[in-house]
Amino acid sequence: MKLSRRLRVDPDRKLSLRHVEPRSHPGIRTKAEAEAQLQRSLTRLDELQFDLYAEGQRSLLIVLQAMDAGGKDGTIRKLAMGLNPQGCLVTSFKVPSDEEAAHDFLWRVHHVAPERGDVGIFNRSHYEDVLVVRVHDLVPKAVWSRRFDEINAFEHQLADSGTRILKFYLHISRDEQRQRLQDRLDDPRKRWKFKPSDLKEREHWDAYMDAYEDALRKCSTPWAPWFVIPADRNWYRNSAVAQIVVEALEDMNPKPRKADFDPRSITIV
């Protein structure tokens, strides 16, 4: 069974993140196996991205969501090893600016969707508007609850325009988050990544799990599926995400554009 099928969220089934073991490694037996698979995936990713760019008709959007210290940056760093930066745009979504907040919540997202031929990676995304705003009661439930349908419609529009969408929730345990935050605090080179506000967010862990479960179930669609990636083990996380990306691109099967001239008629002297 393809890993993408194994880890994909089925919207017709009740999702309980509390019953997903973050240290598990389904489909991959050992760290050595994962690292070997990752190298194969990165090599294949390089080939497929070249064909996607040369085709110039479709694009790929990779969405990464996680709790603080969940591994989004590390996942992007590993994926980037198999991607040509000329055809890849990474966008990090932080607290909306005044200009962004003055528009609808999808405004800042749409204009950074990947162009035809490109790969786009979102570090956090439009899903913050059904996660953070819900947990912290920033907008009424009547507002954020409508956004599930609005997100599905938006992603459907992107898909109809030729964008393949893959959404990954990197699932770490509360204990693993505590250790990673402590490591940041203890390491002078990583201390810049630590924010005292991370500890306040940590207090809302259960509320975030509830919010994520709703978002994953209600917005895992045929055109924009969600995948839950057990992420306590970095070696599994990186290998699993790369493998699913490769599976999607192979399914897309991009083909470089044919030349609009007869190459046999040209002599280079």
Side-chain angles (χ1 to χ4, degrees):
M1 179 187 294
K2 288 184 176 181
L3 202 57
S4 53
R5 292 184 182 179
R6 193 163 187 167
L7 299 179
R8 181 171 176 160
V9 174
D10 183 350
D12 295 326
R13 294 184 180 181
K14 181 175 176 59
L15 174 65
S16 174
L17 290 174
R18 295 161 179 82
H19 294 152
V20 177
E21 172 50 57
R23 291 189 62 80
S24 64
H25 41 95
I28 301 176
R29 291 172 295 181
T30 64
K31 181 177 181 180
E33 180 182 321
E35 291 175 343
Q37 177 59 54
L38 175 61
Q39 293 309 310
R40 290 193 295 271
S41 294
L42 293 177
T43 298
R44 185 66 177 132
L45 181 57
D46 177 70
E47 298 168 349
L48 290 162
Q49 186 202 12
F50 180 90
D51 290 343
L52 182 72
Y53 186 82
E55 181 188 74
Q57 297 298 312
R58 295 173 291 172
S59 58
L60 175 67
L61 174 59
I62 299 167
V63 175
L64 297 173
Q65 289 283 160
M67 296 292 286
D68 292 325
K72 300 181 297 298
D73 293 342
T75 303
I76 292 170
R77 189 162 56 248
K78 284 296 182 182
L79 282 177
M81 294 172 67
L83 293 169
N84 184 334
Q86 293 185 101
C88 179
L89 175 65
V90 178
T91 305
S92 295
F93 290 94
K94 302 183 185 300
V95 176
S97 66
D98 290 342
E99 181 183 20
E100 290 168 343
H103 292 79
D104 70 273
F105 78 101
L106 290 169
W107 178 82
R108 66 175 182 160
V109 180
H110 204 163
H111 78 281
V112 291
E115 299 178 7
R116 291 184 177 91
D118 284 358
V119 175
I121 302 177
F122 286 177
N123 185 338
R124 301 191 188 275
S125 67
H126 42 299
Y127 282 91
E128 294 297 294
D129 287 282
V130 291
L131 296 168
V132 174
V133 299
R134 169 178 172 171
V135 170
H136 290 285
D137 200 23
L138 300 180
V139 299
K141 181 177 180 179
V143 174
W144 61 254
S145 62
R146 285 199 309 267
R147 291 177 176 172
F148 296 121
D149 289 339
E150 292 167 354
I151 286 172
N152 288 339
F154 166 66
E155 292 174 349
H156 205 305
Q157 179 188 13
L158 291 183
D160 283 347
S161 300
T163 299
R164 185 71 171 261
I165 305 170
L166 304 173
K167 301 177 298 192
F168 298 96
Y169 170 63
L170 309 180
H171 183 45
I172 63 169
S173 65
R174 199 168 190 272
D175 285 345
E176 180 67 19
Q177 187 197 54
R178 181 194 61 77
Q179 185 59 55
R180 293 182 185 185
L181 291 176
Q182 187 65 54
D183 289 344
R184 289 180 180 181
L185 192 60
D186 293 343
D187 187 343
R189 293 187 68 248
K190 294 182 179 180
R191 201 167 290 154
W192 64 272
K193 297 184 73 174
F194 182 87
K195 298 184 293 294
S197 60
D198 292 342
L199 301 183
K200 294 297 295 182
E201 288 298 284
R202 184 170 158 79
E203 295 175 5
H204 300 284
W205 184 276
D206 289 341
Y208 271 111
M209 291 301 102
D210 291 339
Y212 266 112
E213 287 174 359
D214 274 354
L216 298 177
R217 182 175 55 83
K218 293 180 179 180
C219 296
S220 188
T221 59
W223 57 88
W226 272 107
F227 303 91
V228 175
I229 309 296
D232 273 11
R233 302 176 190 262
N234 293 348
W235 52 264
Y236 180 79
R237 177 200 72 205
N238 296 334
S239 185
V241 171
Q243 188 172 334
I244 292 171
V245 171
V246 166
E247 288 175 6
L249 282 167
E250 287 183 335
D251 181 65
M252 293 171 70
N253 193 25
K255 300 292 185 183
R257 296 185 296 272
K258 292 183 178 180
D260 56 1
F261 57 86
D262 182 359
R264 297 169 298 181
S265 67
I266 297 178
T267 301
I268 299 176
V269 296

